[in-house]
Amino acid sequence: MDYRTEKNKAVLEESLKRLPNYFPAPSNWEIIEQALEQDQLIQERIPSLPRYEAPTIIWEAIESTIHPPKRLWIRRSWKYAAAASIVLLMSIWGLSALLIPRTGVHVSYAYGQELQSSSVQIANWSDDEAAFSEVLALYEGNELLKQSTAYQDAITELEELNAAREELKLISQQYNNTDAGMIRRLKSIENQRTEVVRSLVAYASF
Amino acid sequence: MTQRTPFIIVIFLLGKSLFAQTGVMQVVSKKIESSFHYQPGYEVNIEGHNAEILIETWDKDQIVTKIEFIAKHPDVKTAKVDVEKINHLASRIKNKIYLRNYIPEKYDKPQAILKVRYQIKLPKECPVYVKNHYGKIELSNLSNRLRVNTAFTSVNLDQISGLIDINTRFGELLGVDLSGKTAIDSRRSDINLVNVQGELNIAAHYGTINIEAHPLLRLLKLEADMADVNIYTPKPQLVAYQFVATGTKVQLPPEVEGKIQTSSPNHELIQEPHQWNYLPQGYKSLFDISINFSDLKIATLKKLIRP
């Protein structure tokens, strides 16, 4: 029945107003929100999932079941209309890509060439380690010297520098990084180690 | 085709292969671009390895991250295989956006030279935590909370305000126009701060520390061991000083030198622990300095020396 032709319009309106209102429990919103968040997380994680290539035999089997469809004659005007609608859809998609902020992941690759820069060989990492051991050997058997604050401080410092050197060595080897920055940092640590070892020599012969 | 043609082709192929072996590097780069909608309470959390990290701000409610892995090797196949050995994470979990790069131990050691670059654009009020192990970090125009934790890394900060917390080992820090509350914990790093204002708290072991203070640097708290410290301030006579020094050479500007009662004459090594204060009337800045086995120079800042 059309609402406009209702005879008892006022009564109907009054009855509608009296109908009770129902509100969803607040916990429902939380559940919906959690589900949405999970959906988004799944979408974000999808690109990082491993991809597996199907074995060739499957593609061959699929191919054997496909029969090329017979060519249909389409009226020329329809072709133009289809082409126009594709152009329209593409432009709407393009505009929306520009105007609506998007979230997601995009991975791309680029290939190029460059001239090899003159490679620098980092001198053998352990060339001078014998000299360090030699200096520490000066203290062997001399407990009095070894208990001194000067010796203890120097050893703590040397340990810190050795650990730093190992960290740097690891990252240089992992990433095959022998750039100037890496060599300068190594130089700085080696100079500081040298200073500590010199102070140990001076203290031992004091 | 003449009789000489095959010979020329052989020479050409030989030359090309030689060239490929000695002079040309094949460069493969993989770029992962991600974008996230920003809302207050979010934080960008980065852990880089051997990475160059560039963080800039913009006026959009979007966080856009580009992580680029570059592999260089004379053989393109090796470069292609090795670029995939760098794993990454770019994902939002609750209110944190995590960005990571790492090489899992299960892989054979990469043969190619590998580089990693992060380029991040975010709103300036977005808090940032950035950790990096060897490389470079450039950050500008952030205004909320910044935490930096680095080793063997050059850190450049430009126009950062709010709460700034920096931990640096074996690195360099350049900070230009920092304001707010800045805390720096440094080991064997060189620190240069230009036009710093607000509150500055530095604990430093070894390294060189240069501070060019803005007149609104209200508090400088410095604890330095075995470091060379230079502080330049526009009006050193209007600053209050509290010094504790051991085994240190202190050099003060002429405006202050005569006013401080010190048992040790200026420019000479203070052997034993020594403490002295200078509190001019109505001072607006306080330099609270505790320094051991270091060189300390305080001088008048004539003109900012911007890098």
Side-chain angles (χ1 to χ4, degrees):
Chain A
M1 192 192 277
D2 192 349
Y3 176 71
R4 282 168 297 188
T5 60
E6 171 64 44
K7 285 178 187 166
N8 300 314
K9 198 174 164 185
V11 178
L12 179 64
E13 273 179 353
E14 190 57 33
S15 318
L16 281 172
K17 274 181 199 166
R18 282 186 194 175
L19 282 172
N21 283 329
Y22 295 103
F23 292 100
S27 58
N28 286 1
W29 293 114
E30 274 174 30
I31 293 164
I32 292 167
E33 212 169 280
Q34 271 175 4
L36 284 172
E37 224 169 70
Q38 268 174 2
D39 282 356
Q40 200 183 341
L41 264 178
I42 290 166
Q43 285 306 319
E44 283 170 11
R45 295 278 171 81
I46 284 171
S48 58
L49 286 173
R51 285 163 199 272
Y52 299 103
E53 288 290 328
T56 335
I57 191 165
I58 287 184
W59 292 116
E60 283 167 0
I62 292 170
E63 232 168 25
S64 66
T65 60
I66 298 171
H67 305 290
K70 284 177 188 166
R71 202 170 171 189
L72 291 171
W73 280 106
I74 304 168
R75 258 190 275 170
R76 186 175 280 186
S77 58
W78 283 42
K79 276 190 193 171
Y80 287 133
S85 57
I86 288 168
V87 169
L88 189 70
L89 280 171
M90 291 286 278
S91 41
I92 291 169
W93 177 77
L95 266 177
S96 70
L98 283 176
L99 297 175
I100 303 165
R102 304 179 83 84
T103 57
V105 185
H106 179 246
V107 181
S108 62
Y109 286 86
Y111 302 91
Q113 288 182 334
E114 69 178 38
L115 282 177
Q116 199 166 5
S117 57
S118 54
S119 68
V120 185
Q121 286 291 318
I122 295 188
N124 196 334
W125 286 91
S126 49
D127 261 1
D128 297 320
E129 293 318 288
F132 281 82
S133 316
E134 211 175 301
V135 172
L136 293 178
L138 293 175
Y139 287 82
E140 281 312 312
N142 194 334
E143 291 309 310
L144 202 65
L145 270 184
K146 277 176 113 171
Q147 278 163 14
S148 66
T149 329
Y151 176 82
Q152 297 286 345
D153 286 353
I155 292 298
T156 313
E157 205 180 332
L158 198 59
E159 277 167 2
E160 184 193 1
L161 291 166
N162 287 346
R165 184 172 168 275
E166 286 305 309
E167 279 177 53
L168 209 54
K169 184 175 155 185
L170 183 72
I171 207 142
S172 163
Q173 287 173 345
Q174 258 191 326
Y175 288 81
N176 290 309
N177 186 341
T178 56
D179 65 14
M182 178 63 80
I183 292 164
R184 289 178 70 85
R185 290 208 184 280
L186 180 64
K187 183 200 90 175
S188 158
I189 292 175
E190 289 300 325
N191 282 344
Q192 291 176 67
R193 290 174 86 222
T194 310
E195 219 171 283
V196 177
V197 166
R198 276 193 190 141
S199 74
L200 279 171
V201 173
Y203 189 63
S205 50
F206 183 60
Chain B
M1 208 184 256
T2 64
Q3 274 187 330
R4 268 198 293 171
T5 312
F7 177 68
I8 291 168
I9 291 172
V10 168
I11 292 282
F12 175 72
L13 289 175
L14 193 68
K16 194 168 181 263
S17 69
L18 277 179
F19 188 58
Q21 275 169 11
T22 56
V24 175
M25 289 292 245
Q26 304 296 327
V27 184
V28 175
S29 85
K30 177 183 180 183
K31 199 184 271 184
I32 302 115
E33 294 175 58
S34 311
S35 80
F36 307 89
H37 182 69
Y38 171 76
Q39 58 190 57
Y42 276 17
E43 183 190 65
V44 168
N45 186 302
I46 307 160
E47 264 191 51
H49 259 88
N50 192 58
E52 283 181 20
I53 301 169
L54 173 68
I55 301 174
E56 291 172 317
T57 59
W58 62 3
D59 292 333
K60 295 180 189 173
D61 276 348
Q62 282 282 106
I63 297 166
V64 172
T65 65
K66 288 179 192 173
I67 310 176
E68 193 178 11
F69 301 139
I70 301 160
K72 297 179 186 180
H73 195 270
D75 175 28
V76 73
K77 274 187 197 161
T78 311
K80 276 183 186 174
V81 168
D82 283 355
V83 85
E84 302 296 346
K85 287 182 181 167
I86 317 175
N87 283 17
H88 79 281
L89 174 74
S91 124
R92 181 177 74 80
I93 297 165
K94 298 254 174 198
N95 61 342
K96 285 206 169 85
I97 289 153
Y98 292 99
L99 303 168
R100 302 271 186 279
N101 74 277
Y102 55 96
I103 299 178
E105 283 180 7
K106 62 178 180 181
Y107 292 132
D108 293 338
K109 185 189 169 315
Q111 300 301 308
I113 296 170
L114 301 173
K115 288 185 185 294
V116 178
R117 281 194 199 124
Y118 289 74
Q119 265 182 291
I120 296 154
K121 285 198 169 172
L122 40 75
K124 67 181 198 172
E125 62 275 14
C126 178
V128 171
Y129 171 78
V130 54
K131 184 176 176 182
N132 192 40
H133 214 82
Y134 186 83
K136 198 174 171 185
I137 297 175
E138 282 187 28
L139 273 153
S140 56
N141 295 312
L142 286 169
S143 69
N144 193 342
R145 180 158 167 71
L146 168 67
R147 290 178 297 148
V148 178
N149 187 351
T150 61
F152 316 108
T153 298
S154 295
V155 181
N156 284 5
L157 305 179
D158 191 15
Q159 303 215 25
I160 312 279
S161 57
L163 294 174
I164 307 165
D165 203 336
I166 296 158
N167 193 312
T168 164
R169 284 172 56 236
F170 294 93
E172 300 86 35
L173 167 68
L174 170 65
V176 180
D177 297 332
L178 303 185
S179 56
K181 273 191 178 182
T182 307
I184 300 170
D185 193 340
S186 152
R187 270 196 89 81
R188 298 180 190 269
S189 296
D190 290 336
I191 297 169
N192 279 290
L193 300 175
V194 178
N195 210 26
V196 58
Q197 55 175 297
E199 284 183 24
L200 176 62
N201 199 325
I202 302 183
H205 296 267
Y206 302 95
T208 305
I209 298 157
N210 293 316
I211 300 167
E212 293 180 21
H214 184 278
L216 290 177
L217 177 62
R218 284 180 289 111
L219 175 67
L220 163 65
K221 194 164 169 25
L222 172 77
E223 283 174 28
D225 283 336
M226 320 241 187
D228 295 330
V229 181
N230 300 299
I231 302 167
Y232 301 90
T233 180
K235 293 207 167 121
Q237 69 276 24
L238 300 180
V239 175
Y241 300 90
Q242 290 179 344
F243 290 105
V244 184
T246 317
T248 293
K249 275 185 182 173
V250 179
Q251 195 181 329
L252 299 172
E255 297 93 322
V256 178
E257 200 179 353
K259 294 175 182 165
I260 289 184
Q261 296 291 315
T262 163
S263 60
S264 177
N266 208 6
H267 307 289
E268 278 187 22
L269 186 65
I270 299 164
Q271 293 280 4
E272 296 305 317
H274 193 76
Q275 185 175 352
W276 71 102
N277 300 328
Y278 170 60
L279 304 167
Q281 266 195 336
Y283 65 86
K284 298 249 164 48
S285 301
L286 170 67
F287 290 2
D288 182 355
I289 297 168
S290 165
I291 192 160
N292 298 311
F293 310 104
S294 305
D295 283 349
L296 170 66
K297 178 186 169 186
I298 296 176
T300 308
L301 175 65
K302 301 275 195 276
K303 195 182 163 200
L304 285 178
I305 311 153
R306 284 181 183 275

